[in-house]
Amino acid sequence: MFKKFLLAFLLANSLVNAAETTWDDAVSRAKAVVSGMSLSEKVTLVTGDGAVFKKATKKCIGNTPANSRINFPGLCLQDGPVGVRWATAVSAFPAGMNVASTFNKDLMYAHGKAVGEEFRGTGVNVWLGPVLNLARTPEGGRNWEGSGGDQYLSAISNSMQIKGAQGVGVIATAKHYIGNDQEHGRDTGGSTIDDRTMREVYLAPFEAAIDAGVAAFMCSYNKINKTDLACESAPTLNLVKKDLGFQGLIMSDWWAVVNGIKAANAGLDLLMPGDTKCCDGVNVVGTPWGNNLINAVNSGTVSQSRVDDMAIRNLAAFYKVGQDQGYPPVNINANVQSADHVAHIRKLGGESTVLLKNDGALPIKSTVRKIAVIGSDAGPGSGPNAFEDRAGLSGTLAMGWGSGTCEFPYLITPESAIKSRASSIGASVTSSLSDTDLTTAKSVATGADIAFVFVAADSGEGYKTVNGNAGDRNNLSLWNNGDNLISAVADANTNTVVVIHAVGAVLMPWINHPNIKAIVFAGLPGQESGNALADVLFGSVVPSGRLPFTINANSADYGAHVDYSKNAEVTYSEGIFIDYKWNDLKGIKPLFPFGHGLSYTKFSYSNLAVAVTSVSATQPAVKVTVNVANIGDVTGQEVVQLYVGLPSGVSAPVKQLRGFEKPSIVNGQSTTVQFNLAFRDFAYWSVVTQKWTIPSGTFTVYVGASAGDIKLQVSFTFIWKISVINICSSLLSHSMLSQLPKQRQQRPRPQQPQQRRHARQRILQFPHLQHRQVVLVPKYR
């Protein structure tokens, strides 16, 4: 599904890194080196030399020893997805959720490249990111680090980031493999996921990462299907190594291994952090490798070939991205910030901002003279780095909490950015940054031409508890009296705009208040938060962000929720019906659907066409085109989304995202958007045959602006037989007609409806199909 897209994208945009070599070359070099290494050297290579939980004590949170004899400097592994953790002069990038919200493949790649440049600049070898876990539950604590609730969007967003980071020589890590989709019980419980759901949903982003050439995986703490821990499960690790052909290294999450010898035999390649002492010297259950692994090899408990494979995979990852060629030494304190990165963060922040509702309040009109800014989320609070690992909420929210965070070099607040921009239109700004002083909030809002009320909801990793939330959110309500604050401001001002900085979906009990004229979901935009938002509010950036998850009206409308029990054994009972697919299955109308986002302009869709470019029972290829016109007043970007529905005979979602494009269209002009679909786009995982299978029957292609706003659709039929394929005439494209015998092309088409209904089947030969017989079944409508 993803490999052909990635290759075409990279070649078309000249994004293939010259320093990055092929897996064949990297593995060949690694094998040659490992063949001359002693057992002790190999074991040292694959065993971490201890974790660091105090800043500037050692190089990174994870390290492996150097071996000068083979010119290997050791690996420095560092969190987190949004920036270099604990570094002193780095950028604080937007969250993975925001990257996905852009629906912009070029920007996704650019983001990975920018993050990679800062990791490389500090000499970090391994970026412990991106996060490929899906937002299975809306309360999931680390949802903000991932890419939302759809596997296709996650696959594309993370693959682009991986290519960008590894393109500058940094090893990217696909984590957390697999089933680590909530914080409660993640290190004591487990995830039970059926075979089809695993293959079609949760494995899909990791498979795409392999197609993108990712050099490292990180396995998670949880058990899989009530058996082994993920890092000690041979079936789980073999799924990517043997079934999907992954050639890089699989590392453990920190202290995720209990039985080190079992993990070695299961296929783990790098034990992290390598010791049994956690954070403050506390003993952690586990069997470190080192001498234990050497003894296991000598006793025959672990094979020599298994240790060779570990060493080869570690070195191959190192060679794959070219780190043996002039990679800088570790210097966590290096200043790696740049004007280009600041511009990127601001651009991504603006392009990921989702305009949920707009009844004419935005962009801010030049006639506005009084602006009210209300809520603590608009201001500086105690400062962006007031809480360790960002585990606290005071002031504007631009990053969740946990190990996936970094230090802010600065944080532009919405209040300061709005004040700066307001002067350009001659407007004044009055603020109230209290969430509980509703009297003052109403007073500030009264008489303003437009009132902005800022609210937030936070979450993070489970080792920190904030306001009673142990990583996962306890509920979907806004924090800090947000709902009451919104209602108070809306009661006082007829032109109220709600701005939400949040880690995911929130409840909106005030949604129908007549004075709320616009709602903006800004997510977690990073250090340029205020500037990125002001760009959208004042109209210098036309909003084009889209929701990477569904926002429902009620908590009960979601298909899955966090299991808050201590040793949570979570069964993925919703199966393949995650996010909008659950809404479609149950007929639940969302408040705002997956893929939703408004613009300051308008678009129209027309001329949806579907054409078969190759007909094969194993490798069909279908081209879809649609015309999109900008019928509004300003140039803007439209996110054109393509969904595929499988035949009714297969238990499957009504529709699944299988493509998206984001053209920029000048007002008054139009463009043709093209999608190229292949085998996997029409297939499901058969648990019987253990293969991807295309069913016979009627497929539907949907094209629209969101999962809930389908503009056009077309249906066609594939009927696979031993040597006969029946194709509905809706696929009888010009390219196929051109191959018909001349006399057939010239034969007049039946003109009357009754004649059309009785048109006979015609058996035709197509030379390019290698004598495959095709039965065309005309179906006139």
Side-chain angles (χ1 to χ4, degrees):
M1 186 190 308
F2 314 105
K3 188 177 296 183
K4 290 184 178 179
F5 155 74
L6 288 169
L7 180 60
F9 177 88
L10 295 168
L11 291 175
N13 293 278
S14 301
L15 299 178
V16 179
N17 175 35
E20 190 172 0
T21 187
T22 65
W23 275 118
D24 286 345
D25 289 341
V27 170
S28 178
R29 289 187 62 193
K31 284 181 176 179
V33 173
V34 170
S35 66
M37 295 175 68
S38 67
L39 175 60
S40 177
E41 285 180 311
K42 296 170 192 174
V43 170
T44 299
L45 179 70
V46 303
T47 305
D49 69 353
V52 180
F53 278 93
K54 292 183 179 179
K55 302 175 187 179
T57 303
K58 265 190 179 182
K59 297 189 296 184
C60 288
I61 194 168
N63 309 275
T64 63
N67 185 331
S68 59
R69 192 182 68 80
I70 61 171
N71 295 317
F72 179 68
L75 296 178
C76 171
L77 304 88
Q78 191 74 344
D79 299 310
V82 298
V84 185
R85 188 184 185 192
W86 294 341
T88 57
V90 297
S91 301
F93 290 89
M97 170 185 67
N98 282 64
V99 180
S101 293
T102 68
F103 277 73
N104 184 328
K105 298 164 192 171
D106 293 312
L107 201 51
M108 292 165 179
Y109 179 91
H111 182 72
K113 181 175 181 290
V115 171
E117 286 170 345
E118 299 212 353
F119 273 78
R120 181 187 177 99
T122 54
V124 175
N125 302 91
V126 183
W127 170 39
L128 297 177
V131 171
L132 277 61
N133 303 104
L134 299 177
R136 173 181 174 263
T137 69
E139 308 93 348
R142 301 183 76 174
N143 285 354
W144 61 274
E145 294 185 57
S147 300
D150 181 81
Q151 62 267 33
Y152 182 89
L153 176 60
S154 176
I156 299 301
S157 180
N158 288 300
S159 295
M160 291 293 96
Q161 293 176 63
I162 288 165
K163 293 300 296 186
Q166 293 196 170
V168 295
V170 175
I171 294 173
T173 307
K175 69 177 190 181
H176 308 83
Y177 180 72
I178 194 168
N180 186 180
D181 301 309
Q182 65 170 56
E183 288 303 286
H184 280 76
R186 71 166 186 169
D187 52 355
T188 56
S191 301
T192 299
I193 310 173
D194 68 84
D195 182 33
R196 184 179 174 193
T197 299
M198 178 69 84
R199 291 277 187 166
E200 291 190 16
V201 181
Y202 297 97
L203 186 62
F206 291 94
E207 182 179 359
I210 294 171
D211 289 344
V214 72
F217 264 53
M218 179 193 289
C219 51
S220 52
Y221 295 97
N222 51 281
K223 293 194 296 290
I224 298 296
N225 293 335
K226 299 180 180 178
T227 55
D228 297 319
L229 299 174
C231 295
E232 299 177 12
S233 169
T236 301
L237 303 187
N238 284 336
L239 192 57
V240 291
K241 284 188 169 183
K242 294 185 178 179
D243 288 24
L244 301 181
F246 177 56
Q247 299 181 76
L249 69 91
I250 299 179
M251 74 182 76
S252 67
D253 205 338
W254 272 228
W255 298 288
V257 170
V258 173
N259 188 327
I261 304 307
K262 184 176 182 179
N265 284 324
L268 188 69
D269 304 306
L270 177 59
L271 184 68
M272 294 306 299
D275 58 9
T276 58
K277 298 286 185 180
C278 185
C279 319
D280 297 313
V282 177
N283 283 319
V284 178
V285 176
T287 308
W289 281 354
N291 288 332
N292 291 321
L293 185 54
I294 291 174
N295 293 335
V297 173
N298 290 333
S299 67
T301 307
V302 175
S303 69
Q304 177 71 59
S305 62
R306 176 74 269 270
V307 176
D308 287 349
D309 182 54
M310 295 178 190
I312 290 168
R313 288 174 177 272
N314 277 264
L315 285 179
F318 177 74
Y319 295 141
K320 174 71 168 65
V321 297
Q323 289 191 357
D324 59 317
Q325 303 173 33
Y327 203 80
V330 177
N331 180 7
I332 292 296
N333 296 319
N335 188 339
V336 294
Q337 300 173 83
S338 72
D340 286 344
H341 292 174
V342 170
H344 166 78
I345 293 168
R346 182 169 179 170
K347 176 179 173 60
L348 196 151
E351 198 160 324
S352 63
T353 298
V354 183
L355 183 60
L356 295 177
K357 173 184 176 179
N358 189 23
D359 292 340
L362 297 176
I364 297 172
K365 296 174 177 59
S366 60
T367 55
V368 166
R369 291 295 173 264
K370 294 182 179 180
I371 299 174
V373 174
I374 299 164
S376 66
D377 184 65
S382 302
N385 298 319
F387 304 98
E388 184 180 38
D389 293 341
R390 316 292 78 80
L393 181 56
S394 175
T396 193
L397 179 65
M399 185 185 297
W401 77 76
S403 64
T405 60
C406 68
E407 304 293 308
F408 281 96
Y410 62 84
L411 177 56
I412 303 297
T413 67
E415 180 194 33
S416 64
I418 290 173
K419 283 183 175 179
S420 177
R421 296 292 287 274
S423 60
S424 66
I425 61 171
S428 63
V429 178
T430 305
S431 304
S432 170
L433 301 183
S434 170
D435 299 316
T436 55
D437 186 353
L438 302 186
T439 300
T440 301
K442 289 181 179 180
S443 176
V444 170
T446 300
D449 296 316
I450 188 168
F452 291 94
V453 55
F454 287 82
V455 290
D458 202 359
S459 72
E461 197 168 353
Y463 70 89
K464 294 279 189 180
T465 297
V466 179
N467 295 348
N469 297 267
D472 302 314
R473 285 187 285 168
N474 294 336
N475 53 57
L476 301 181
S477 297
L478 291 167
W479 287 27
N480 297 343
N481 201 41
D483 292 330
N484 291 329
L485 183 65
I486 291 170
S487 296
V489 172
D491 286 343
N493 189 288
T494 59
N495 195 29
T496 295
V497 176
V498 177
V499 179
I500 303 169
H501 286 110
V503 292
V506 297
L507 297 178
M508 302 181 185
W510 32 262
I511 187 72
N512 293 318
H513 196 298
N515 289 344
I516 295 177
K517 298 302 172 62
I519 304 172
V520 177
F521 186 90
L524 304 173
Q527 67 189 44
E528 285 288 312
S529 177
N531 286 335
L533 178 66
D535 287 342
V536 172
L537 299 183
F538 284 86
S540 59
V541 168
V542 176
S544 63
R546 300 293 184 265
L547 286 176
F549 47 75
T550 298
I551 297 180
N552 283 316
N554 306 291
S555 293
D557 292 341
Y558 293 94
H561 295 278
V562 166
D563 182 336
Y564 295 97
S565 56
K566 182 177 180 180
N567 300 313
E569 289 288 348
V570 182
T571 299
Y572 288 40
S573 56
E574 73 286 351
I576 58 177
F577 300 97
I578 181 177
D579 201 81
Y580 64 90
K581 307 173 191 77
W582 176 263
N583 288 68
D584 285 347
L585 176 70
K586 298 297 183 179
I588 299 171
K589 184 178 180 180
L591 202 56
F592 298 107
F594 171 89
H596 171 76
L598 303 178
S599 175
Y600 293 153
T601 190
K602 296 180 179 180
F603 300 92
S604 67
Y605 291 62
S606 62
N607 301 325
L608 176 62
V610 180
V612 173
T613 56
S614 173
V615 182
S616 164
T618 57
Q619 291 297 328
V622 174
K623 181 176 73 174
V624 179
T625 56
V626 64
N627 185 266
V628 181
N630 184 338
I631 57 174
D633 298 325
V634 295
T635 297
Q637 297 181 91
E638 173 71 331
V639 177
V640 186
Q641 301 164 44
L642 182 146
Y643 299 81
V644 171
L646 300 187
S648 58
V650 178
S651 176
V654 172
K655 59 182 179 293
Q656 302 183 73
L657 185 68
R658 287 294 181 262
F660 59 85
E661 297 295 337
K662 192 172 187 177
S664 178
I665 309 174
V666 176
N667 54 305
Q669 296 185 11
S670 65
T671 189
T672 297
V673 178
Q674 179 174 314
F675 301 92
N676 296 302
L677 306 180
F679 174 83
R680 283 283 294 276
D681 297 310
F682 301 102
Y684 72 98
W685 179 257
S686 170
V687 297
V688 177
T689 64
Q690 289 292 291
K691 293 180 180 179
W692 290 100
T693 304
I694 293 185
S696 295
T698 300
F699 294 77
T700 303
V701 169
Y702 305 88
V703 174
S706 76
D709 186 13
I710 299 301
K711 305 292 188 181
L712 300 167
Q713 65 185 69
V714 62
S715 297
F716 55 90
T717 302
F718 286 147
I719 302 178
W720 305 113
K721 296 183 180 180
I722 294 176
S723 62
V724 179
I725 306 171
N726 294 353
I727 305 177
C728 174
S729 67
S730 60
L731 283 178
L732 196 57
S733 67
H734 174 76
S735 62
M736 295 179 72
L737 281 170
S738 66
Q739 299 172 67
L740 297 179
K742 291 294 183 182
Q743 63 270 28
R744 297 247 184 216
Q745 292 188 51
Q746 294 166 1
R747 181 183 241 170
R749 176 180 176 183
Q751 296 299 311
Q752 300 302 318
Q754 186 172 3
Q755 289 177 295
R756 294 173 182 168
R757 284 195 296 270
H758 291 91
R760 293 182 303 165
Q761 294 187 4
R762 292 170 294 192
I763 299 179
L764 306 168
Q765 291 290 336
F766 289 83
H768 74 294
L769 298 181
Q770 297 179 339
H771 307 295
R772 180 179 297 278
Q773 198 174 48
V774 180
V775 178
L776 300 176
V777 184
K779 186 183 292 184
Y780 302 106
R781 298 176 180 175

Coordinates of all heavy atoms in Angstrom, one line a residue, residues 265-314:
N265 N 16.4 -14.9 22.5 CA 15.9 -16.0 21.6 C 14.7 -15.6 20.8 O 14.5 -16.1 19.8 CB 15.6 -17.3 22.5 CG 16.9 -18.0 22.9 OD1 17.9 -18.0 22.1 ND2 16.9 -18.5 24.1
A266 N 13.9 -14.7 21.4 CA 12.7 -14.2 20.7 C 13.0 -13.3 19.5 O 12.2 -13.2 18.6 CB 11.8 -13.5 21.6
G267 N 14.2 -12.7 19.5 CA 14.6 -11.8 18.4 C 15.0 -10.4 18.8 O 15.2 -9.5 17.9
L268 N 15.1 -10.1 20.1 CA 15.5 -8.7 20.5 C 17.0 -8.5 20.1 O 17.8 -9.4 20.3 CB 15.3 -8.6 22.0 CG 15.5 -7.1 22.5 CD1 14.4 -6.2 22.1 CD2 15.6 -7.1 24.1
D269 N 17.3 -7.3 19.6 CA 18.6 -7.1 19.2 C 19.5 -6.1 20.0 O 20.7 -6.1 19.9 CB 18.6 -6.5 17.7 CG 17.8 -7.4 16.8 OD1 18.2 -8.6 16.7 OD2 16.9 -6.9 16.2
L270 N 18.8 -5.3 20.8 CA 19.5 -4.3 21.6 C 18.7 -4.1 22.9 O 17.6 -3.7 23.0 CB 19.6 -2.9 20.9 CG 20.2 -1.8 21.7 CD1 21.6 -2.1 22.1 CD2 20.2 -0.5 20.8
L271 N 19.4 -4.5 24.0 CA 18.8 -4.4 25.4 C 19.0 -3.1 26.0 O 20.2 -2.7 26.2 CB 19.3 -5.5 26.3 CG 18.6 -5.6 27.7 CD1 17.2 -6.0 27.6 CD2 19.4 -6.5 28.6
M272 N 18.0 -2.3 26.2 CA 18.1 -1.0 26.8 C 17.4 -0.9 28.1 O 16.3 -1.5 28.3 CB 17.5 0.1 25.8 CG 18.3 0.2 24.5 SD 20.1 0.5 24.7 CE 20.1 2.0 25.6
P273 N 18.0 -0.2 29.1 CA 19.2 0.6 28.9 C 20.5 -0.3 29.2 O 21.6 0.2 29.2 CB 19.1 1.7 30.0 CG 18.3 1.0 31.0 CD 17.3 0.1 30.3
G274 N 20.2 -1.5 29.6 CA 21.4 -2.5 29.8 C 21.7 -2.8 31.3 O 22.5 -3.7 31.5
D275 N 21.1 -2.0 32.2 CA 21.3 -2.3 33.6 C 20.0 -2.6 34.3 O 19.0 -2.7 33.7 CB 22.0 -1.1 34.3 CG 21.2 0.2 34.2 OD1 20.0 0.1 33.7 OD2 21.7 1.3 34.5
T276 N 20.1 -2.7 35.6 CA 18.8 -3.0 36.4 C 18.5 -2.0 37.4 O 17.8 -2.2 38.4 CB 19.0 -4.4 37.1 OG1 20.2 -4.3 38.0 CG2 19.2 -5.5 36.2
K277 N 19.1 -0.8 37.2 CA 18.8 0.3 38.1 C 18.0 1.4 37.3 O 18.4 1.9 36.3 CB 20.1 1.0 38.5 CG 21.0 0.0 39.3 CD 20.5 -0.2 40.7 CE 21.4 -1.1 41.6 NZ 21.0 -1.3 42.9
C278 N 16.8 1.7 37.9 CA 16.0 2.8 37.3 C 16.3 4.1 37.9 O 17.1 4.2 38.8 CB 14.5 2.4 37.4 SG 13.4 3.6 36.5
C279 N 15.6 5.0 37.5 CA 15.6 6.5 37.8 C 16.5 6.9 39.0 O 17.4 7.6 38.8 CB 14.2 6.9 38.0 SG 13.1 6.2 36.8
D280 N 16.1 6.5 40.2 CA 16.8 7.0 41.4 C 17.6 5.8 42.0 O 17.7 5.7 43.2 CB 15.9 7.6 42.4 CG 15.2 8.9 41.8 OD1 15.9 9.7 41.2 OD2 14.0 9.0 41.9
G281 N 18.1 4.9 41.2 CA 18.8 3.8 41.7 C 18.0 2.6 42.2 O 18.5 1.7 42.8
V282 N 16.7 2.7 41.9 CA 15.8 1.6 42.3 C 16.0 0.4 41.5 O 16.1 0.4 40.2 CB 14.3 2.1 42.2 CG1 13.3 1.0 42.5 CG2 14.1 3.3 43.0
N283 N 16.0 -0.8 42.1 CA 16.2 -2.0 41.3 C 15.0 -2.3 40.5 O 13.9 -2.1 40.9 CB 16.5 -3.2 42.3 CG 17.9 -3.2 42.8 OD1 18.8 -3.0 42.1 ND2 18.0 -3.5 44.1
V284 N 15.3 -2.8 39.3 CA 14.2 -3.1 38.4 C 14.4 -4.6 38.0 O 15.5 -5.1 37.8 CB 14.3 -2.3 37.0 CG1 13.2 -2.7 36.1 CG2 14.2 -0.8 37.4
V285 N 13.2 -5.3 38.0 CA 13.3 -6.7 37.7 C 13.8 -6.9 36.2 O 13.3 -6.2 35.3 CB 11.9 -7.3 37.8 CG1 11.9 -8.8 37.3 CG2 11.4 -7.3 39.2
G286 N 14.7 -7.8 36.0 CA 15.2 -8.0 34.7 C 16.5 -8.7 34.7 O 17.3 -8.7 35.7
T287 N 16.8 -9.3 33.6 CA 18.1 -10.0 33.4 C 19.0 -9.3 32.4 O 18.7 -9.3 31.2 CB 17.9 -11.5 32.9 OG1 16.9 -12.1 33.8 CG2 19.2 -12.3 32.9
P288 N 20.0 -8.6 32.9 CA 20.8 -7.9 31.9 C 21.6 -8.8 31.0 O 21.8 -10.0 31.4 CB 21.7 -7.0 32.8 CG 21.8 -7.8 34.1 CD 20.4 -8.4 34.2
W289 N 22.0 -8.4 29.9 CA 22.8 -9.2 29.0 C 24.2 -9.3 29.5 O 24.5 -9.9 30.5 CB 22.7 -8.8 27.6 CG 21.4 -9.2 26.9 CD1 20.4 -10.0 27.5 CD2 20.9 -8.8 25.6 NE1 19.4 -10.2 26.6 CE2 19.6 -9.5 25.5 CE3 21.3 -8.0 24.6 CZ2 18.8 -9.3 24.3 CZ3 20.6 -7.9 23.5 CH2 19.3 -8.5 23.3
G290 N 25.2 -8.7 28.8 CA 26.6 -8.7 29.3 C 27.0 -10.1 29.5 O 26.9 -11.0 28.7
N291 N 27.6 -10.4 30.7 CA 28.1 -11.7 31.0 C 27.0 -12.8 31.0 O 27.3 -14.0 30.7 CB 28.8 -11.7 32.4 CG 30.1 -11.0 32.3 OD1 30.8 -10.9 31.3 ND2 30.5 -10.4 33.5
N292 N 25.8 -12.4 31.3 CA 24.7 -13.4 31.3 C 24.5 -13.9 29.9 O 24.2 -15.1 29.7 CB 23.4 -12.8 31.8 CG 23.4 -12.5 33.3 OD1 24.0 -13.2 34.1 ND2 22.9 -11.3 33.7
L293 N 24.6 -13.1 28.9 CA 24.4 -13.5 27.5 C 25.6 -14.3 27.1 O 25.4 -15.3 26.3 CB 24.2 -12.3 26.6 CG 23.8 -12.5 25.2 CD1 22.6 -13.5 25.0 CD2 23.6 -11.2 24.4
I294 N 26.8 -13.9 27.5 CA 28.0 -14.7 27.1 C 27.9 -16.1 27.6 O 28.1 -17.1 26.9 CB 29.2 -14.0 27.6 CG1 29.5 -12.7 26.9 CG2 30.5 -14.9 27.5 CD1 30.6 -11.9 27.4
N295 N 27.4 -16.2 28.9 CA 27.3 -17.5 29.5 C 26.2 -18.3 28.8 O 26.3 -19.6 28.7 CB 27.0 -17.4 31.0 CG 28.1 -16.8 31.8 OD1 29.3 -16.9 31.4 ND2 27.8 -16.2 32.9
A296 N 25.1 -17.7 28.4 CA 24.0 -18.4 27.7 C 24.5 -18.9 26.4 O 24.1 -20.0 26.0 CB 22.9 -17.4 27.5
V297 N 25.4 -18.2 25.7 CA 25.9 -18.7 24.4 C 26.8 -19.9 24.7 O 26.8 -20.9 24.0 CB 26.7 -17.6 23.7 CG1 27.4 -18.1 22.4 CG2 25.7 -16.5 23.3
N298 N 27.7 -19.7 25.7 CA 28.6 -20.8 26.0 C 27.9 -22.1 26.4 O 28.4 -23.2 26.2 CB 29.6 -20.3 27.0 CG 30.6 -19.3 26.5 OD1 30.9 -19.3 25.3 ND2 31.1 -18.4 27.4
S299 N 26.8 -21.9 27.0 CA 26.0 -23.1 27.5 C 25.1 -23.7 26.5 O 24.4 -24.7 26.7 CB 25.2 -22.8 28.8 OG 24.2 -21.9 28.5
G300 N 24.9 -22.9 25.4 CA 24.0 -23.4 24.3 C 22.6 -22.9 24.4 O 21.7 -23.3 23.6
T301 N 22.3 -22.1 25.5 CA 21.0 -21.6 25.7 C 20.6 -20.6 24.6 O 19.4 -20.5 24.2 CB 20.9 -21.0 27.1 OG1 21.3 -21.9 28.1 CG2 19.4 -20.6 27.4
V302 N 21.6 -19.8 24.2 CA 21.4 -18.9 23.1 C 22.4 -19.2 22.0 O 23.6 -19.4 22.4 CB 21.5 -17.4 23.5 CG1 21.5 -16.5 22.3 CG2 20.5 -17.0 24.6
S303 N 22.0 -19.3 20.8 CA 22.9 -19.7 19.7 C 23.9 -18.5 19.4 O 23.6 -17.4 19.5 CB 22.2 -20.1 18.5 OG 21.5 -19.0 17.9
Q304 N 25.1 -18.9 18.9 CA 26.0 -18.0 18.4 C 25.5 -17.2 17.2 O 25.7 -16.0 17.1 CB 27.3 -18.7 18.0 CG 28.4 -17.8 17.4 CD 29.0 -16.9 18.4 OE1 29.6 -17.4 19.4 NE2 28.9 -15.6 18.2
S305 N 24.7 -17.9 16.4 CA 24.1 -17.2 15.2 C 23.1 -16.1 15.6 O 23.0 -15.1 14.9 CB 23.5 -18.2 14.3 OG 22.4 -18.9 15.0
R306 N 22.4 -16.3 16.7 CA 21.5 -15.3 17.2 C 22.3 -14.0 17.6 O 21.9 -12.9 17.3 CB 20.7 -15.9 18.4 CG 19.7 -14.9 19.0 CD 18.5 -14.6 18.2 NE 18.7 -13.4 17.3 CZ 18.4 -12.2 17.6 NH1 17.9 -11.9 18.8 NH2 18.6 -11.2 16.8
V307 N 23.4 -14.2 18.3 CA 24.2 -13.0 18.8 C 24.8 -12.4 17.5 O 24.9 -11.1 17.5 CB 25.2 -13.5 19.8 CG1 26.1 -12.3 20.1 CG2 24.6 -14.0 21.0
D308 N 25.2 -13.2 16.6 CA 25.8 -12.6 15.3 C 24.7 -11.7 14.7 O 25.0 -10.6 14.2 CB 26.2 -13.7 14.4 CG 27.5 -14.4 14.8 OD1 28.1 -13.9 15.7 OD2 27.8 -15.5 14.2
D309 N 23.5 -12.2 14.6 CA 22.4 -11.5 14.0 C 22.1 -10.2 14.7 O 21.9 -9.1 14.1 CB 21.1 -12.4 14.0 CG 19.9 -11.7 13.3 OD1 20.1 -11.2 12.1 OD2 18.9 -11.5 13.9
M310 N 22.2 -10.2 16.1 CA 22.0 -9.0 16.8 C 23.1 -7.9 16.4 O 22.7 -6.8 16.2 CB 22.2 -9.3 18.3 CG 21.2 -10.1 19.0 SD 21.7 -10.3 20.7 CE 20.6 -11.6 21.3
A311 N 24.3 -8.4 16.4 CA 25.4 -7.5 16.1 C 25.3 -6.9 14.7 O 25.5 -5.7 14.5 CB 26.7 -8.2 16.3
I312 N 25.0 -7.8 13.8 CA 24.8 -7.4 12.4 C 23.8 -6.3 12.2 O 23.9 -5.3 11.6 CB 24.5 -8.6 11.5 CG1 25.8 -9.5 11.4 CG2 24.1 -8.2 10.1 CD1 25.5 -10.9 10.8
R313 N 22.6 -6.5 12.9 CA 21.5 -5.6 12.8 C 21.9 -4.2 13.4 O 21.5 -3.2 12.9 CB 20.3 -6.1 13.4 CG 19.6 -7.3 12.6 CD 18.5 -7.9 13.4 NE 17.8 -9.0 12.6 CZ 16.9 -8.8 11.7 NH1 16.4 -7.5 11.5 NH2 16.4 -9.7 11.0
N314 N 22.6 -4.2 14.5 CA 23.0 -2.9 15.1 C 24.0 -2.2 14.2 O 23.8 -1.0 14.0 CB 23.7 -3.2 16.5 CG 22.7 -3.3 17.6 OD1 22.4 -2.4 18.3 ND2 22.1 -4.5 17.8

